[in-house]
Each structure stands twice: as structure tokens, then as C-alpha cells.
Amino acid sequence: MGHRDGYTAFVSSGVGKKISTTLGLPQPVALRRHVPGRPLVDGPLLVGGHGTMPALAALRATLDEAGAVVVDEVPEEGRLGGVVVDVSSATAPTDLEALRATLAPALKRLGRCARVVIVGADPASATTAAQRATHRALEGITRSVAKELRAGATANLVLLTPGSEGAALGTVLFLLSARSAYVDGQVFRTGVATSQEPADAATPLAGKVAVVTGAARGIGADIARTLARDGATVVCVDMPSAGASLAKVANSIGGSALQADVTSPDAGARIMNHARTRHGGLDIVVHNAGITRDKLLANTDSERWGSVLAVNLTSILAMNEHFLAKDGLRDGGHLVLVSSIAGIAGNRGQANYAASKAGVIGLVDAYAADKGLRRRGITANAVAPGFIETEMTARIPFATRELGRRLNSLAQGGLPIDVAETIAHFASDAQSGVNGNVVRVCGQSLLGA
Ligand code: NAD
């Protein structure tokens, strides 16, 4: 629960629940978040559908291994921890009835923070119009179900491409897990994975060297901590003015700190050089540093315009000259860029910020399509956070802040750890087939698609 979100604490109390229910106010629940050793889902998991996802058998085996109880029908008693329905082999809209028939009884019996994961095929790889329409329909179903769910439950869609089942399994597991607490109503496209599963599932990033910009506080600090938790050695980068807190974060995770303004012309070379000489190379780059300078466009001067574009977008392009050079990221490396829902939906007073964050999505599209990078197995994905409880959002005036916080399917803001978990997921080699995705970590914000 966000430490500044007094309302969620209020409705969790007996009196608060009564008052808020009577008034028809939003009912956020404390989300289930990752705790090592805890089961994947809370309660039995219904696995259904008539898809031919070969990974479904593997999924059952993996879930068995993970200690999840897999059932074929809604049990007579108790609540489900989640439901996975594979309709990847559907060819016509009439096949969607099977999905409805599996989901309808299950949705009535979902427990707190339960998971709905629908597995379809990427519409782009369909061979007929009917098939393409059917798989596109899954998006509408997923996004609607996500809006209907209550009590912290989420619904997401995983799309397969031929041969992607390995990567898809990892994505399904991520979406079932507590790591995806604030990921809701999203579509994950999977591709063919080229890497092996990690030797130790608890440390999928073992042996990797990662750079995180803007790591002194907020989302960046949690990204650094999460990558380190997952086994990576992390280079934490932030402004010299944030040096003290930067050193604290780096020391707490056994990483190294590098003071650099990402807009300075030598930032990319310095970071690359630091990673190479101190840690022997570089595998993961998370471009997280970002600023806002809000004003209506009519009142935006060139300084406000330029500074936001320089930090949030141009610096990434310039630093990537070094990270993506032949002697930069090692083969099989991963870039993860931090966008924003403002870059998808636009936001009043944020034309400069939305430009930079939409531009970030353009960068991901370009890198994901780059043949040279593909040959080297380098992936690029973006995470677009919605309302996350940080110092950036604490500065928003109260009424606007409260709106941003509540106008999503989970009726609460996310925590920095929620963004960090999705980034760590994209940074893992098991996700080497996942490229060019833009996933929102926004509790299904009503802003944007
Ligand atoms: P924050 O302001 O709390 O932290 C940003 C960090 O970036 C700070 O430590 C800051 O010193 C650093 N930074 C800023 N300019 C820099 C520069 N030129 N060089 C190096 N470091 C620099 O922000 P946050 O909320 O943690 O946001 C992190 C990222 O997430 C940003 O890209 C932001 O746009 C994005 N985001 C945040 C939210 C949210 O709700 N908080 C929503 C969408 C997107």
C-alpha cells in the first residue's frame, strides 16, 4: 500500500469500509506483492480452453512444481487463485464461446488479488480475416474483464507467435505471480526465445551487469534494488547533486555508483567505460531518469520544452550510441526504457513530457526492428507507468493527484516496485523472445487505451 495513500488505509479499516461502501466510493484493497517463498497464486488455479498451446502441458507441470493446485473445473467450495484460458488455436468468432463458458463461472469465484490470464495468438500472424478478428477480439474481452474485476484481481492477455511458447510460459508465470500486482488490462506479445531458462529461478539475472539511470530515488532506486535482488550487479547512475542518496542505494545492493548528468555529452562513454572496467561488461540498460516541467503548451517556453526532451529522450539516443556500439552491450543484452501513460494518452499541461515519452516508444519500435540488434539478440521494450507513488507524483496538486490515483481499475496508485518488477521481467534472458513491447504498469488507468 502506498505510504502516502491514506484513503486505501482508511477503507481497509472497519469503519472506513462501512462509510466508503455506503457512499459508493472506490474500494481499493492492499495488493498482493512478491514475497520470496510465498505460493505463486493464492488458491487453486483453473487451467482451461481448447487451445493447442503446447506450453499448456508445460504450464501445468511448472505450476505443479511451483506448488500451485491446478484444477480443470471450478471447485465446489472456496475461491480460485486464478484462471488461465488458452484459446490460441481459435479460428472463428464462434470459438470465443469456449472462452466465455470457462470464464463466466470462474469469475464468480475469484479470490482477492486473483489472476485472469488469457492466451491467444498474435493477430498479425493470423492467416485468415476470421482468425485475425477472433484474436483481436481477445483484447476487447481482456480489457473489459479487467474493468469488471474487483478486490485487486487483474486480467491480462498473452499473445503467442509461432514458436514463442517458451517465452510465453515465462510471461504467463509473471502475470500469475504477485510481481505483476499493478499490471492490469495489458497485452503481452511473445516471440521466439533464443536463451535458456536461468539455472536458478530465484536469481534469473545472476552474472549480469546492469545500468539504471535516475537510481538515487523513486522508481529508479527500486529498479536497482530489484535487479540486484534478481542477481545482477548494478551500476547506479544519477546527478552529482543526488550523490549521497545514490551512494546509499548502490551500497545497500553491493553495486557501484556513478555520478553523471545523463544529458552531458560524455555520459554514455563514461557509463560504458565504468561498466567495462569495474564490472567486465554490460548486459542490461534501464533508461529511467526523467523530469517533468508542466505548463499548458501555450505557456511553455523553450527552456521547459528543451530540458524535458533533453533528459527524457535525446539523452537516451546519445547514450545508446555507446551502449549499442559493437563494443557496448554484450550479445543477448536488454534495453528497457521508461515511458509513461502520458506518452500514450497525452496529458493536459504535459505536451513536452508526452512528446518525450511517446518518443521513447518510437525508440523502442526502432530498436526492436533493427536487424543488426536482432542478430546480436539485443531486445528493447518499454514500460509505461501510470500513477506511481513517488516524489514526482507527490508534487501534483491534491485534487489532480487524488483523481490520478483513483481513476484506474484497482482504484489506487502503484508503487515503484511494481514498475521495477516488470522491468526485471523484460531484462531476463528467459524473455529474449520478447521485443518491442510497450506494457503499461498502471492498474488499467482510464487514461489512454
Ligand atoms: P523522481 O523524480 O522521483 O526520480 C527521478 C530520478 O532521476 C531522480 O533521482 C533524479 O535525480 C534523476 N534525474 C533527473 N534528471 C537527471 C539527469 N539529467 N541525469 C541523471 N539523473 C537524473 O521520478 P520517478 O517518479 O521515480 O520517475 C522515474 C521515471 O518514471 C521517469 O522517467 C518518469 O518520467 C517515469 N514515470 C513516473 C511516473 C510516476 O507516477 N511517478 C509515471 C510515469 C512515468
Side-chain angles (χ1 to χ4, degrees), residues 213-220 237-239 242 260-263 288-291 311-312 338-341 353 357 385-393 395:
T213 67
R217 70 177 201 201
I219 295 172
V237 177
D238 210 301
M239 299 282 279
D261 179 336
V262 292
T263 63
N288 162 79
I291 59 168
V311 176
N312 299 3
V338 178
S339 177
S340 165
I341 57 168
Y353 183 73
K357 295 299 187 179
F387 185 100
I388 306 296
E389 307 281 356
T390 66
E391 290 183 38
M392 187 182 264
T393 47
R395 284 197 301 271

Side-chain angles (χ1 to χ4, degrees), residues 137-228:
L138 298 178
E139 245 185 68
I141 297 169
T142 306
R143 295 195 202 278
S144 302
V145 168
K147 287 182 178 177
E148 291 175 7
L149 294 178
R150 293 288 173 265
T154 63
N156 292 285
L157 174 63
V158 177
L159 295 176
L160 307 182
T161 48
S164 79
E165 293 80 6
L169 180 58
T171 304
V172 171
L173 290 174
F174 170 72
L175 291 171
L176 289 175
S177 78
R179 294 171 199 259
S180 63
Y182 202 59
V183 177
D184 198 8
Q186 296 304 297
V187 181
F188 285 70
R189 277 182 185 74
T190 58
V192 181
T194 49
S195 306
Q196 301 290 314
E197 288 293 315
D200 180 356
T203 51
L205 305 182
K208 303 292 178 184
V209 179
V211 162
V212 179
T213 67
R217 70 177 201 201
I219 295 172
D222 264 23
I223 297 169
R225 290 186 197 105
T226 305
L227 297 182

Side-chain angles (χ1 to χ4, degrees), residues 97-383:
E97 162 58 16
L99 174 61
R100 186 210 61 77
T102 307
L103 277 183
L107 294 181
K108 293 194 184 109
R109 299 284 295 285
L110 290 183
R112 205 179 163 89
C113 299
R115 296 286 189 265
V116 175
V117 178
I118 297 174
V119 180
D122 192 340
S125 49
T127 47
T128 67
Q131 197 180 8
R132 188 157 188 156
T134 305
H135 288 282
R136 186 63 205 232
L138 298 178
E139 245 185 68
I141 297 169
T142 306
R143 295 195 202 278
S144 302
V145 168
K147 287 182 178 177
E148 291 175 7
L149 294 178
R150 293 288 173 265
T154 63
N156 292 285
L157 174 63
V158 177
L159 295 176
L160 307 182
T161 48
S164 79
E165 293 80 6
L169 180 58
T171 304
V172 171
L173 290 174
F174 170 72
L175 291 171
L176 289 175
S177 78
R179 294 171 199 259
S180 63
Y182 202 59
V183 177
D184 198 8
Q186 296 304 297
V187 181
F188 285 70
R189 277 182 185 74
T190 58
V192 181
T194 49
S195 306
Q196 301 290 314
E197 288 293 315
D200 180 356
T203 51
L205 305 182
K208 303 292 178 184
V209 179
V211 162
V212 179
T213 67
R217 70 177 201 201
I219 295 172
D222 264 23
I223 297 169
R225 290 186 197 105
T226 305
L227 297 182
R229 178 202 71 190
D230 287 356
T233 300
V234 184
V235 178
C236 302
V237 177
D238 210 301
M239 299 282 279
S241 55
S245 39
L246 181 68
K248 220 165 149 187
V249 173
N251 289 339
S252 72
I253 57 172
S256 60
L258 176 63
Q259 296 183 8
D261 179 336
V262 292
T263 63
S264 67
D266 63 350
R270 278 185 61 213
I271 296 170
M272 196 57 237
N273 194 37
H274 176 104
R276 205 180 287 124
T277 52
R278 290 278 292 271
H279 307 293
L282 185 58
D283 306 283
I284 297 161
V285 175
V286 183
H287 288 288
N288 162 79
I291 59 168
T292 51
R293 295 284 182 274
D294 297 357
K295 276 262 184 238
L296 295 180
L297 183 58
N299 303 325
T300 298
D301 58 23
S302 71
E303 198 282 322
R304 272 177 199 276
W305 186 259
S307 58
V308 169
L309 279 157
V311 176
N312 299 3
L313 183 60
T314 324
S315 77
I316 301 178
L317 259 173
M319 288 189 292
N320 281 352
E321 295 265 318
H322 299 271
F323 301 149
L324 298 179
K326 286 221 163 54
D327 59 350
L329 273 180
R330 284 191 275 242
D331 286 0
H334 306 288
L335 283 178
V336 190
L337 281 65
V338 178
S339 177
S340 165
I341 57 168
I344 296 169
N347 202 15
R348 188 179 149 85
Q350 289 198 318
N352 52 356
Y353 183 73
S356 70
K357 295 299 187 179
V360 158
I361 295 174
L363 284 184
V364 164
D365 290 343
Y367 296 141
D370 185 301
K371 287 204 178 81
L373 295 180
R374 277 176 172 265
R375 258 196 305 277
R376 291 166 57 193
I378 292 176
T379 67
N381 293 284
V383 169

Side-chain angles (χ1 to χ4, degrees), residues 5 8 28-31 33 182 387 405-406 408 410-414:
D5 183 3
T8 298
V29 302
L31 301 180
R33 289 195 167 85
Y182 202 59
F387 185 100
R405 210 178 239 161
R406 302 291 160 222
N408 58 74
L410 298 171
Q412 59 191 291

